[in-house]
Amino acid sequence: MKTASILKVMHILSWIVFIGLCIKTGAILISYFISIGNPEAAKNLYAGLNLSEYYNLSFTQYTFIVSYKIALFATEAYIALLVTKLLKALNLEKPFNIEVQKLMQNISYSIFNLWILAMLHNTHIQYTGKKYDFSMDLFSSDFLFLAGVIFIFAQIVKRGIEIQSENDLTI
């Protein structure tokens, strides 16, 4: 079945995304702890992320910004983990069950929490940037990842429609 193959590939990709986001979160966390004793580390916290202006302004501001980033990436990793669980729990013969429904609900709550964190981060960055004339990119979710989540849901619905259609024909 084409749908089963697509979902298997998506399951593998969701594990890859989960592992990558865990590494990213851990790298920022470790870099932060290194930067506590070495302010130079704030110049390249992770993948070119330069927070030295915030570090020099206020260690508290710097800590808040790093905390936002860690929380954002950790939430994305959690969403990826939920997607892996969803794909594992999915039974294509009976795709609609309570476990799948709860996982989908948890994913939607987590995405909502991610949005709230992103808005808090962006508001804080904009406020601090205007006040002290700093510039920094605002956080935007990995839309490719979120598009993948939506695609998985679409595949689930597609399979549900196929089963319901088959059941209607047998009656």
Side-chain angles (χ1 to χ4, degrees):
M1 284 186 134
K2 188 175 182 179
T3 303
S5 299
I6 290 171
L7 290 174
K8 284 180 185 178
V9 169
M10 292 304 294
H11 190 229
I12 293 167
L13 290 175
S14 64
W15 271 109
I16 292 169
V17 169
F18 170 69
I19 292 167
L21 287 168
C22 285
I23 291 169
K24 190 174 190 177
T25 304
I28 292 173
L29 187 62
I30 290 169
S31 297
Y32 170 74
F33 285 122
I34 291 171
S35 73
I36 291 172
N38 180 7
E40 286 294 310
K43 288 183 180 177
N44 187 7
L45 193 65
Y46 175 79
L49 180 62
N50 183 354
L51 298 178
S52 60
E53 291 176 325
Y54 293 95
Y55 190 97
N56 294 332
L57 168 71
S58 163
F59 186 74
T60 304
Q61 291 290 330
Y62 172 73
T63 300
F64 272 118
I65 292 169
V66 173
S67 297
Y68 283 131
K69 299 233 178 260
I70 291 169
L72 288 162
F73 294 126
T75 302
E76 284 185 350
Y78 178 68
I79 292 167
L81 179 64
L82 290 175
V83 170
T84 62
K85 288 181 177 184
L86 174 70
L87 291 168
K88 183 180 178 188
L90 187 62
N91 177 355
L92 287 180
E93 299 304 317
K94 293 184 179 183
F96 302 104
N97 63 53
I98 193 70
E99 184 179 4
V100 168
Q101 184 271 329
K102 284 183 179 182
L103 285 167
M104 291 171 112
Q105 189 174 353
N106 285 341
I107 290 169
S108 67
Y109 291 156
S110 297
I111 291 172
F112 181 72
N113 290 337
L114 180 66
W115 176 78
I116 290 171
L117 283 170
M119 292 301 105
L120 288 171
H121 170 267
N122 291 347
T123 302
H124 183 242
I125 292 297
Q126 288 172 334
Y127 173 77
T128 308
K130 283 182 184 178
K131 188 173 180 180
Y132 299 102
D133 197 32
F134 293 158
S135 65
M136 184 174 161
D137 293 334
L138 299 178
F139 185 87
S140 64
S141 299
D142 297 317
F143 291 109
L144 182 60
F145 172 68
L146 293 177
V149 171
I150 293 167
F151 180 75
I152 291 166
F153 292 151
Q155 291 299 312
I156 292 168
V157 171
K158 177 183 171 188
R159 182 63 186 151
I161 291 169
E162 291 171 358
I163 291 171
Q164 186 172 346
S165 172
E166 290 171 4
N167 288 341
D168 290 344
L169 292 175
T170 57
I171 293 176

